[in-house]
Every structure is written in structure tokens, then in C-alpha cells.
Amino acid sequence: MSLTDAPLGHHVAYPAQYDPALLFPIERAANRAALGLTATQSLPFHGADIWTAYELSWLNAKGKPLVAMAVFTIPADSPRLVESKSFKLYLNSFNQTRLDDASALRERLVHDLGAAVGTPIKLDLIAPRDFARQTIAELGGADLDALDVVIDTYRPAPELLRHAAESRDGDVVEETLVSRLLKSNCPVTGQPDWASVQIRYRGRAIDREALLKYIVSFREHAGFHEHCVEQIHTDIMRACAPRELTVYARYTRRGGLDINPWRSNVPGASVDDVRTARQ
């Protein structure tokens, strides 16, 4: 199947009952090949795609509706990702489905999504009693967005990336930089995707103005969230060769789902699942 077969960009009736066949997996290999990452080599990064589902509901055995939130963590080394509209349709297929308890829901979610992406996934179900504990925060780091820069490039331009003028070979800094100006477009519908991005690295200093211009250069780019983060990680590694690099994007939600990919070449690295104000 190709993207033209996906429900994204087409009118699709919402399902009345549970249907795992609604999930539409997409191979990661094609995008990675475009970045020069072949299937025969080990990935130069690890990480995950963190999905937050805000609109999850089902019926209990007596037909009473129940609600929850869910956080799905899909490993970056899974062979496939899931197209977002198909994921939404799949989750909505539970709306009129009777289940004995939340454990039955969890079992189906973990099984179905793991089968779609080709590897086990992690699931955290958040019950209503825990809704009040959910907090809003911002990604930490030095803010790039206040820089007064002239920008005229709105297609990915890795040639913009460079080291800071004052840095020298052998110099090592460790810093975290943040921008809220990452925007790309859905490759199927052309709808805008908005994100905050955090770049944490150790190595020779990266020119901050150049990095901001590079982030903004995705503004007219058509790419899935996961692909954009992998391209950013790959481009920075090739242009600036930091010893350590972690790239983390928090995209605003669409259809009750937000997608938050991160990629890192640091063994044992992790990120905080921080819900930003725009999410």
C-alpha cells in the first residue's frame, strides 16, 4: 500500500465498533534511505515517538461510557510508524465497544499497535482520577527565538548550519537550545504542523543564529513529524559533528493526538514527557 491508500486526506466514516484493521502502518525505511541511512547499517540514533491520546473512550460491560488519556511510546527502531488519522479512527472505534475493564482495553491497544509498528510498545493509561495531576510546562533550554535574524529560506537547508565563529577545533561546550518556531506541513493534506524543538548537544559550539535559520527552513517542508526530527538530527550531526546530540520535538495536537518524537546518539539518553502550553 502507498500513502494514497491511507485515510489521511480522504473522507472516512467513523467506525461504530472496534476495528484494528483501521491502523495504517508506514515503513520508515524510505525516509531514512533519503537521508542516506540504509537498511543494512545500524541506526546512528535511538529514541522514540511519544503519542498522547486525549480522546479515548469505551463502554463498560453495562454500556456506560468511560474515558481516559493514553501515552503510547513507539521505539525509533521499529520498522514502521502509524499514520495519524488511521490512529485516530482506530481509537475512536472503541467508542461504542463494550469491554470488561481497563485491562481489556490495555491488552488490545498494546497488541494492535505493536503489531502495526512491528515491535513491542509502551502504554500508560491515565484515569480520570489522575487528570488533575497533568501539568503544563515548557521545554528547558536557552531560547533561540529572540535572536534578530534575517530569514529568507523556507525549505530544509542544512548548508545553513555551521560552528560558532569563536569556536575552535577541540573546544567543547554543552548546552540545550530551544525554539518554538518549528513548522512543517503534512505530506498528504498540506495542513501545517506546529512544534517546539529542543536541541541538546555536547561538542564544538554551534552558531545559534544559523541553527535558528535552519529550524525555520522547515516552514514549507512536507514531512511527517518523525521524519522531520530524524532529518534535523542527521543534518546537525553531519554539519557540526557534536559528540552528543539529542533532538526532541513536541508537536501540537490534531484530532485529539499529539506526536512527540526524539532522537539521540547518547547511550541511555531519555527525555521528559513535558506537555507544553500549546499542546
Side-chain angles (χ1 to χ4, degrees), residues 86-246:
S86 78
F87 200 174
K88 176 185 177 182
L89 291 169
Y90 163 73
L91 293 176
N92 275 279
S93 77
F94 285 93
N95 290 349
Q96 292 300 115
T97 299
R98 297 190 183 216
L99 298 171
D100 290 336
D101 52 33
S103 296
L105 173 70
R106 172 185 292 276
E107 182 178 345
R108 294 195 192 191
L109 292 172
V110 169
H111 174 271
D112 296 343
L113 192 58
V117 302
T119 196
I121 64 102
K122 178 184 176 184
L123 169 62
D124 293 319
L125 276 180
I126 303 170
R129 64 178 178 273
D130 296 319
F131 285 178
R133 300 180 186 178
Q134 305 307 301
T135 58
I136 299 294
E138 290 299 301
L139 294 174
D143 187 6
L144 296 176
D145 297 345
L147 296 172
D148 186 16
V149 297
V150 175
I151 299 177
D152 57 10
T153 302
Y154 304 105
R155 302 283 182 182
E159 65 274 11
L160 292 170
L161 293 165
R162 61 176 181 265
H163 292 113
E166 67 274 12
S167 72
R168 297 291 181 267
D169 288 340
D171 291 349
V172 176
V173 302
E174 187 169 354
E175 61 181 357
T176 302
L177 307 173
V178 174
S179 173
R180 297 173 181 84
L181 301 185
L182 178 60
K183 172 193 170 287
S184 53
N185 298 317
C186 172
V188 179
T189 66
Q191 294 182 29
D193 294 319
W194 309 93
S196 298
V197 60
Q198 180 188 69
I199 296 169
R200 186 168 70 239
Y201 76 94
R202 186 171 73 88
R204 188 175 170 185
I206 297 173
D207 185 290
R208 293 188 177 188
E209 291 190 1
L211 180 58
L212 180 59
K213 291 180 179 181
Y214 167 73
I215 291 169
V216 174
S217 76
F218 278 78
R219 196 166 181 84
E220 294 184 351
H221 175 63
F224 290 117
H225 307 60
E226 302 92 334
H227 295 168
C228 290
V229 169
E230 292 188 358
Q231 182 168 351
I232 292 170
H233 191 281
T234 300
D235 287 345
I236 294 175
M237 285 300 302
R238 289 174 178 166
C240 300
R243 300 179 185 181
E244 298 180 354
L245 175 64
T246 301

